[in-house]
């Protein structure tokens, strides 16, 4: 055991500082200072300011979408979306997603109907929703995960044949395309996240995209105040505004998107090269798109083959200052607030349940170098080679 060099066993950590999982874009200081000076000179902090308007125009042009409506974060965007779409009763949503997708339904007084996901792509599919449809379901919220996408055309055909509204939580999918069409143009609307961990960062931020003029007018009125545009009646409004400081960072991040995407792609390929040699580690490649942002490195850890569970591996990596994390956990249909409805008491979603036990996220983004990827994969490989000793170690510490 003393020969095993892991921080968890007392060796110095592989990285001096925590290596985070997200993109965490930081512009250089001079650019940041000059952008903030502009805000000070204009004496204008928020409420549809010039930088937000410029950012919205750039997004519309880049995505080829009629309306890009910037908001405080994607969670608010999803809540506003449910209101703008005038959804009622039940909405189908995958249980394998971030809690914000489902919380947006709770805020809107809607009931989630959880579906499972495809084991290979991790995306929801028509096959997973056909059997859970009932007369109270009014909409489907597709979630495009990991810089990939659901099988959108099949979902669209299914939605229209059953008279269901279809919209997308595309928090992970900024910049991705399917053929010549960018994500942002599908369904009734799509919502992006510009959180600091995402490839396009407004520090916190998001955007609702739609090609429907009336829906856009409703969204702008819900977001409230300046920038509301044509007045249309809406029941609820919210302060969903993006501030000028958020937009300033977003504009810089947007300019550097091609460079960051390229870098992520390069790092992703390195991960693939190293990880494919390790038994029991399966790197998930973005599927369903022809161009991905590669903003996530997500792997399944097969405990039976790798020897250690995902949780033990995450623990081992965290001790090395690699902020790997499980992603997502727990399965949303198991949460007490969603578990007490009749349908969920005995609801089993085997793929979601397996993925919540086996998936982990590894670092990619601005602070990750080629050497870091090599080092991370080297540690995972050593963990596999030392699995028997590590299993004994973990038994000893009762975790
Ligand atoms: N739909 C889906 C499918 C989503 O995944 C998300 C969010 C949403 C909707 C909602 O989008 P937003 O409302 O957030 O726009 C993170 C992100 O906040 C969130 O955007 C993401 N998905 C979710 C899965 O993960 P947290 O609370 O774990 O993030 P946080 O702030 O702890 O950051 C993650 C790591 O990065 C930590 O290790 C700390 C580090 N970090 C973070 C920030 C912000 C830094 O080192 N520096 C920083 O400035 O949720």
């Amino acid at each position: 055991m003393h020969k095993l060099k892991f921080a968890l066993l007392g060796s110095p950590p592989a990285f001096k500082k925590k290596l985070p999982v997200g993109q965490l874009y930081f512009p250089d200081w001079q650019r940041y200072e000059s952008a903030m000076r502009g805000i000070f000179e204009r004496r204008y902090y928020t409420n549809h300011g010039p930088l937000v308007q410029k950012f919205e125009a750039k997004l519309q042009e880049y995505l080829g979408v009629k309306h890009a409506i910037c908001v405080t974060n994607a969670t608010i965007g999803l809540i506003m979306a449910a209101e703008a779409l005038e959804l009622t009763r039940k909405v189908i949503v995958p249980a394998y997603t971030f809690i914000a997708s489902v919380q947006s339904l709770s805020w809107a007084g809607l009931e989630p109907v959880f579906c499972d996901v495809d084991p290979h792509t991790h995306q929801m599919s028509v096959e997973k929703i056909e059997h859970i449809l009932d007369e109270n379901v009014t909409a489907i919220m597709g979630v495009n995960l990991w810089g990939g996408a659901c099988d959108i055309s099949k979902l669209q055909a299914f939605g229209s044949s059953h008279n269901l509204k279809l919209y997308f939580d595309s928090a992970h999918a900024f910049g991705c395309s399917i053929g010549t069409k960018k994500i942002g143009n599908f369904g009734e609307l799509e919502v992006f996240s510009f959180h600091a961990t995402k490839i396009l960062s407004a520090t916190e931020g998001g955007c609702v995209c739609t090609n429907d003029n009336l829906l856009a007018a409703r969204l702008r009125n819900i977001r409230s105040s300046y920038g509301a545009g044509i007045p249309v009646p809406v029941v609820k409004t919210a302060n969903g505004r993006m501030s000028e400081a958020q937009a300033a960072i977003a504009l810089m991040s947007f300019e550097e998107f091609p460079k960051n995407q390229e870098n992520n792609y390069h790092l992703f390929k390195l991960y693939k090269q190293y990880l494919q040699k390790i038994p029991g580690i399966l790197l998930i490649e973005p599927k369903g798109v022809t161009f991905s942002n590669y903003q996530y490195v997500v792997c399944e850890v097969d405990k039976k083959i790798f020897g250690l569970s995902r949780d033990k591996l995450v623990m081992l990596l965290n001790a090395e200052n690699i902020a790997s994390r499980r992603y997502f956990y727990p399965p949303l249909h198991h949460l007490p607030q969603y578990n007490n409805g009749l349908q969920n008491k005995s609801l089993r979603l085997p793929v979601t349940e397996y993925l919540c036990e086996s998936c982990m996220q590894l670092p990619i983004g601005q602070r990750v170098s080629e050497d870091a990827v090599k080092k991370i994969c080297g540690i995972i490989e050593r963990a596999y080679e030392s699995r028997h000793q590590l299993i004994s170690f973990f038994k000893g510490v009762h975790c």
Side-chain angles (χ1 to χ4, degrees), residues 63 65 144 149-153 156 166-170 176-192 209-211 215 288-289:
L63 297 168
V65 72
N144 293 315
C150 319
D151 190 340
I152 293 180
S153 49
Q156 255 161 347
L166 173 67
Y167 68 115
F168 291 96
D169 173 345
S170 296
C176 303
S177 9
I178 303 177
T180 52
K181 220 170 169 184
K182 290 235 159 53
I183 299 279
N185 286 279
F186 296 96
E188 310 260 349
L189 58 80
E190 297 197 53
V191 181
F192 292 116
C209 290
T210 181
N211 285 308
L215 204 46
V289 290

Side-chain angles (χ1 to χ4, degrees), residues 78-376:
L78 287 164
I79 294 170
M80 287 168 50
E83 183 63 21
L85 288 163
E86 299 179 285
L87 303 182
T88 57
R89 295 170 291 167
K90 294 181 180 181
V91 177
I92 293 179
V93 61
Y96 191 59
T97 179
F98 189 51
I99 189 163
S101 321
V102 180
Q103 287 284 297
S104 71
L105 299 176
S106 305
W107 277 103
L110 299 161
E111 189 184 326
V113 179
F114 291 109
C115 71
D116 212 349
V117 293
D118 180 276
H120 307 292
T121 63
H122 297 188
Q123 315 285 352
M124 77 190 288
S125 65
V126 169
E127 291 70 41
K128 301 286 178 187
I129 61 180
E130 280 165 322
H131 64 286
I132 53 173
L133 194 62
D134 69 34
E135 67 284 359
N136 287 317
V137 172
T138 61
I140 302 168
M141 183 202 294
V143 181
N144 293 315
L145 289 181
W146 316 147
C150 319
D151 190 340
I152 293 180
S153 49
K154 275 196 186 164
L155 281 174
Q156 255 161 347
F158 181 83
S160 39
S161 67
H162 291 88
N163 204 18
L164 301 171
K165 290 184 176 168
L166 173 67
Y167 68 115
F168 291 96
D169 173 345
S170 296
H172 294 189
F174 181 80
C176 303
S177 9
I178 303 177
T180 52
K181 220 170 169 184
K182 290 235 159 53
I183 299 279
N185 286 279
F186 296 96
E188 310 260 349
L189 58 80
E190 297 197 53
V191 181
F192 292 116
S193 168
F194 301 146
H195 181 260
T197 51
K198 304 293 188 286
I199 189 152
L200 177 50
S201 165
T203 67
E204 284 280 5
C207 171
V208 189
C209 290
T210 181
N211 285 308
D212 180 319
N213 295 340
L214 181 59
L215 204 46
R218 289 179 58 76
L219 284 159
R220 291 202 175 97
N221 278 263
I222 291 168
R223 187 180 57 178
S224 84
S225 285
Y226 309 153
I230 316 152
V232 290
V234 286
V235 179
K236 293 180 204 152
T237 60
N239 177 356
R241 296 183 289 248
M242 176 180 271
S243 77
E244 287 291 276
Q246 285 176 291
I249 300 273
L251 282 163
M252 292 183 265
S253 172
F254 178 72
E255 237 176 71
E256 294 188 44
F257 170 80
K259 190 181 83 191
N260 292 334
Q261 186 277 346
E262 216 171 284
N263 187 49
N264 283 358
Y265 184 38
H266 175 65
L267 297 175
F268 191 92
K269 282 189 288 188
L270 275 186
Y271 268 115
K272 187 175 166 183
Q273 182 189 325
Y274 296 130
L275 292 176
Q276 67 191 4
K277 293 187 268 181
I278 311 175
I281 301 290
L282 177 67
L283 175 68
I284 303 305
E285 299 203 46
K287 311 236 173 58
V289 290
T290 44
F291 181 84
S292 173
N293 55 29
Y294 289 98
Q295 73 173 23
Y296 283 105
V297 178
V298 173
C299 319
E300 285 174 32
V301 181
D302 186 335
K303 185 184 167 187
K304 284 195 212 106
I305 302 173
F306 186 74
L308 298 173
S309 67
R310 182 273 316 267
D311 287 350
K312 300 258 181 342
L313 181 57
V314 165
M315 207 187 284
L316 194 90
L317 293 172
N318 275 301
E320 305 289 352
N321 272 335
I322 301 160
S324 144
R325 41 180 205 172
R326 50 194 191 179
Y327 209 112
F328 306 101
Y329 189 87
L332 297 177
H333 60 294
H334 285 176
L335 286 175
Q337 64 269 40
Y338 297 122
N339 196 22
N340 54 11
L342 281 179
Q343 63 142 342
N344 290 338
K345 275 207 168 133
S346 56
L347 183 63
R348 286 286 160 267
L349 300 174
V351 181
T352 297
E353 286 157 28
Y354 172 74
L355 296 180
C356 288
E357 288 301 318
S358 66
C359 276
M360 69 172 182
Q361 186 189 7
L362 292 172
I364 196 162
Q366 194 167 14
R367 281 181 42 198
V368 180
S369 63
E370 288 181 4
D371 277 355
V373 173
K374 195 172 176 189
K375 222 167 169 183
I376 293 166

Side-chain angles (χ1 to χ4, degrees), residues 27-47:
D28 73 48
W29 181 254
Q30 280 75 18
R31 290 186 78 202
Y32 176 78
E33 211 177 20
S34 129
M36 293 305 136
R37 190 170 295 120
I39 294 174
F40 272 55
E41 282 165 4
R42 284 187 294 277
R43 307 243 143 217
Y44 201 88
Y45 278 134
T46 188
N47 214 347

